[in-house]
Amino acid sequence: MIAPTRTRVADAAARLAEAGVESPRVDAELLAAHVLGVPRTRLVLAPDLDDDAAARLEALVARREAREPLQHLVSSAVLGPVSVAVGPGVFVPRPETELLLGEAVAAARGIGGPRVVDLCTGSGALALAIATARPDAEVHAVELDPGALAWARRNLEGSGVRLTAADVTDPATLATLEGIVDVVVANPPYVPEGTAVSPEVDHDPHEAVFAGPDGLAVIGPLATTAARLLREGGRVAVEHDESHATAVREVLEGAGFVDVETREDLAGRPRMAVGTRRRD
């Protein structure tokens, strides 16, 4: 039996709210739009769900009630100007990472054909967003995990971004770019082991989220890699846990960066450190 889409969405939103989903109405609308094959902004003009569509929506809502990530259910995630494919085996891009995108674009402003490196690229979303914002840039992306690499290859195909399978803590990684990169960005794993996380995060690969007892196991050597790659005066931006503001500033300063500062997200939480490669 055909039921009004608005009724289905309202019912789904109520269920998701009861399940503790952070944005139940938005998620319900996005799931309905996905089933109907229309943008969320056009949902009000979409036809009502027939029995088949209603059954598919019901199945998706049940999975979201169980706190499976919305992005897995719709098979995509948005970061700035781009949408990338995501699913099991790769970290789902978060809105907070748009801070890194904004910093990369700002740092490359005024540089013709900037050379940018995205360390721990995961799905490739950040690298693709940078390349989209600056089509003249030479963008490199680095990822080690085979599962994430498969998603990155899919998302970066035909984009011009140069994807390298490598360990960001290895001194040999991107050796041919040493001292000639303008901007390095990174969203590495940074959550301390044992930290309680939301049910959605449990669907991300463990190694893409957690980084040792203090959460800094990757950021330390990554800072050394960034310093090695950057030219004098080049800029680095690293996303971190809100409890790490002081520690990450100290890590960057120890790696040879000056003018190190912490950036806050829209909620006022310290979530990113930036710095300039010291001029020797």
Side-chain angles (χ1 to χ4, degrees), residues 79 84-86 89-94 97 100 116-131 139-145 147-156 159 161-168 174 184-189 208 218 222:
L79 183 66
V84 296
V86 295
V90 70
F91 182 82
V92 173
R94 273 37 172 200
T97 302
L100 282 177
V116 182
V117 172
D118 174 24
L119 301 175
C120 302
T121 197
S123 66
L126 180 56
L128 182 61
I130 293 169
V139 181
H140 295 259
V142 180
E143 179 57 53
L144 178 63
D145 181 74
L149 274 168
W151 288 100
R153 289 191 183 99
R154 174 179 174 182
N155 290 321
L156 297 175
S159 69
V161 175
R162 306 178 191 187
L163 178 63
T164 299
D167 184 348
V168 300
L174 299 184
V184 170
V185 292
N187 180 18
V218 177
L222 181 148

Side-chain angles (χ1 to χ4, degrees), residues 20-203:
V21 172
E22 188 173 332
S23 51
R25 180 74 189 193
V26 171
D27 285 23
E29 291 177 353
L30 287 170
L31 291 175
H34 176 69
V35 167
L36 289 167
V38 300
R40 177 184 168 216
T41 54
R42 304 285 294 177
L43 191 59
V44 68
L45 302 176
D48 291 329
L49 283 75
D50 59 21
D51 288 346
D52 177 66
R56 286 187 284 127
L57 178 60
E58 166 61 29
L60 291 174
V61 171
R63 291 168 64 185
R64 189 69 185 104
E65 276 185 296
R67 305 300 292 274
E68 188 171 343
L70 172 72
Q71 296 87 349
H72 285 196
L73 302 180
V74 300
S75 302
S76 66
V78 174
L79 183 66
V82 302
S83 177
V84 296
V86 295
V90 70
F91 182 82
V92 173
R94 273 37 172 200
E96 292 83 358
T97 302
E98 292 197 14
L99 285 172
L100 282 177
L101 172 59
E103 186 65 29
V105 172
R109 191 170 293 127
I111 302 174
R115 188 174 284 113
V116 182
V117 172
D118 174 24
L119 301 175
C120 302
T121 197
S123 66
L126 180 56
L128 182 61
I130 293 169
T132 300
R134 285 296 303 266
D136 63 325
E138 178 186 310
V139 181
H140 295 259
V142 180
E143 179 57 53
L144 178 63
D145 181 74
L149 274 168
W151 288 100
R153 289 191 183 99
R154 174 179 174 182
N155 290 321
L156 297 175
E157 184 178 6
S159 69
V161 175
R162 306 178 191 187
L163 178 63
T164 299
D167 184 348
V168 300
T169 69
D170 185 343
T173 295
L174 299 184
T176 60
L177 297 181
E178 289 187 8
I180 62 172
V181 174
D182 298 296
V183 183
V184 170
V185 292
N187 180 18
Y190 53 69
V191 178
E193 290 283 358
T195 301
V197 295
S198 71
E200 286 84 356
V201 176
D202 287 333
H203 290 267

